[in-house]
Amino acid sequence: GDVERFLAGVEHARYLLANPVEALVRHLAAYCRRGAGDPVVDRREVPEQAYDEILLVTRDRPGLFAQVAGLLAAHRMNVLSAVLNTRTDGWVVDVFHVSREPGDDPGERRWRAWEADLRALLSGAASPADLIEARLRRSGGLARPRPRVPVRVEIDNRSSRRFTVVDLRTADRIGLSYDVARALAGQGLTIRLAKIATNIEQVADAFYVETLEGGKVERPERIERLRLAVERAVAPAGEGTR
């Protein structure tokens, strides 16, 4: 049944260990509602933590995280945390905690508009670049305030047996995850796991990536290009990263 398929498709045991039982039950229920290729998008408010949780079950695809993060930014919502759970059956169970700008209540209308955009992207009815960039232009683009903390990017090949880990420390802003995800894609990398954490307008993010061929980023010159690409994506125009 679906329960057996759900458990059989778990790629890493840490997914089961890292989630409380009630979260796993929500994930299972959403997974069981999936169609042949139709995504399941669930949202719930977590008022005591002042964020909304989005649970997305969909077919995996290149650039999925960047597209979700880009649409959230285009609708003036920020990714506070995200855990991407890639499965062995070609589906993902991704969890996003999102906030909005102070004093900005998106309301049901904005959520419905965001979900409609997301479904258009996932169905292929709209081009990701065209839709996201059009929404960003209409919403005034991405805020790029001067960082209050230095930008730190570290490329770590020791912490994971399988992936290269891109560790990022910087000031938070709407669209940050989108910019980083685009930079990683531009370097020919696939994000397999993202751990995004925001604390007092600062982020401590870790992106677990592999090359399109599979495997880590190994060559020193490619590691340096990767580090510089992420720094450029994060730092506002005209700002240094040191």
Side-chain angles (χ1 to χ4, degrees):
D2 272 331
V3 174
E4 289 77 13
R5 280 192 290 273
F6 179 76
L7 293 174
V10 172
E11 186 172 31
H12 299 290
R14 66 169 174 263
Y15 164 71
L16 298 174
L17 298 172
N19 284 281
V21 172
E22 57 269 22
L24 293 173
V25 169
R26 287 196 300 273
H27 298 181
L28 171 62
Y31 180 81
C32 291
R33 297 196 338 258
R34 76 202 188 286
D38 296 332
V40 176
V41 185
D42 278 350
R43 179 179 64 89
R44 69 184 185 102
E45 294 183 8
V46 187
E48 64 273 17
Q49 300 292 334
Y51 62 70
D52 291 273
E53 180 182 276
I54 297 169
L55 172 60
L56 173 63
V57 179
T58 189
R59 291 280 188 188
D60 197 11
R61 58 188 283 170
L64 177 63
F65 175 76
Q67 291 165 24
V68 175
L71 275 183
L72 287 168
H75 286 267
R76 310 308 298 170
M77 290 178 279
N78 197 34
V79 180
L80 294 177
S81 68
V83 178
L84 313 183
N85 300 298
T86 305
R87 298 171 48 79
T88 60
D89 58 8
W91 289 79
V92 297
V93 179
D94 292 347
V95 181
F96 300 85
H97 291 169
V98 304
S99 68
R100 51 256 185 198
E101 292 184 309
D104 183 11
D105 181 4
E108 288 303 318
R109 181 178 298 179
R110 185 180 294 184
W111 276 115
R112 285 196 299 270
W114 175 81
E115 185 174 339
D117 280 352
L118 179 65
R119 291 185 182 277
L121 287 185
L122 297 180
S123 69
S127 156
D130 290 347
L131 181 53
I132 292 173
E133 295 303 327
R135 287 285 188 190
L136 286 173
R137 284 194 298 273
R138 255 178 278 164
S139 67
L142 299 180
R144 286 182 172 269
R146 183 183 180 91
R148 297 183 183 89
V149 296
V151 175
R152 276 185 34 229
V153 179
E154 295 182 2
I155 311 302
D156 174 11
N157 271 328
R158 297 183 304 275
S159 298
S160 171
R161 256 186 339 198
R162 178 176 168 187
F163 305 120
T164 293
V165 184
V166 180
D167 279 310
L168 170 65
R169 303 290 185 275
T170 188
D172 191 27
R173 60 172 170 80
I174 283 182
L176 178 66
S177 298
Y178 177 51
D179 284 344
V180 174
R182 285 195 302 172
L184 295 174
Q187 293 296 305
L189 300 173
T190 299
I191 301 170
R192 305 299 290 180
L193 176 68
K195 296 180 179 179
I196 295 174
T198 305
N199 180 28
I200 318 179
E201 298 187 348
Q202 297 183 24
V203 297
D205 295 351
F207 296 88
Y208 290 66
V209 302
E210 63 181 357
T211 65
L212 297 180
E213 305 80 30
K216 296 182 179 184
V217 181
E218 299 280 9
R219 297 198 311 274
E221 64 272 18
R222 189 172 183 186
I223 289 174
E224 182 62 10
R225 282 201 308 271
L226 170 59
R227 185 183 63 79
L228 290 174
V230 174
E231 285 186 347
R232 283 195 298 269
V234 169
E239 291 287 346
T241 57
R242 292 284 184 244

